[in-house]
Amino acid sequence: QVQLVESGGGLVQPGGSLRLSCVASGNIFSIDDMGWYRQAPGKPRELVALISNGRATNYADSVKGRFSISRVNGQNTVYLQMNSLKPEDTAVYYCYLRRGISYWGQGTQVTVSS
């Protein structure tokens, strides 16, 4: 079993920044990918950013140049630095880990509003 605990969500004004954190625990040997997805009301869950075990990264076009994903293997932690936030970034953000099968965190709300 794998447990994922997210933190760092909240309310921020447009143009502001937030940093999300996700700590993985449990059976976390040989992780394939870690990353973040998000789901806005009435919309399907979508990829935000992924980082592989080899540190290759993949971003949604909508966040390229604004968001940055990083991973600290020794701490089994993945971060999402979000800058220049826009109202359309408002969503529940879910931590994701793939180790053969996929695991999900419970989500953290990010609201971008003035």
Side-chain angles (χ1 to χ4, degrees):
Q1 278 286 21
V2 173
Q3 295 80 42
L4 302 172
V5 178
E6 303 114 330
S7 61
L11 173 64
V12 64
Q13 292 187 343
S17 298
L18 282 175
R19 188 192 196 204
L20 305 184
S21 301
C22 173
V23 179
S25 62
N27 190 357
I28 52 176
F29 297 103
S30 301
I31 294 172
D32 299 316
D33 304 294
M34 290 188 74
W36 296 90
Y37 282 71
R38 67 186 180 188
Q39 187 167 19
K43 294 187 177 181
R45 191 173 295 189
E46 63 175 4
L47 170 71
V48 177
L50 282 177
I51 184 165
S52 72
N53 201 36
R55 306 300 178 96
T57 57
N58 183 30
Y59 294 93
D61 287 343
S62 59
V63 307
K64 283 181 181 177
R66 300 188 298 123
F67 290 12
S68 177
I69 189 169
S70 59
R71 181 174 158 185
V72 182
N73 282 346
Q75 299 176 11
N76 299 312
T77 302
V78 64
Y79 301 97
L80 185 68
Q81 178 66 43
M82 305 186 293
N83 299 324
S84 302
L85 282 160
K86 304 176 181 180
E88 51 264 43
D89 294 317
T90 295
V92 177
Y93 284 69
Y94 294 93
C95 183
Y96 164 84
L97 183 150
R98 184 171 64 90
R99 183 179 175 273
I101 63 173
S102 298
Y103 298 89
W104 298 92
Q106 292 194 328
T108 184
Q109 177 70 47
V110 172
T111 302
V112 185
S113 174
S114 55

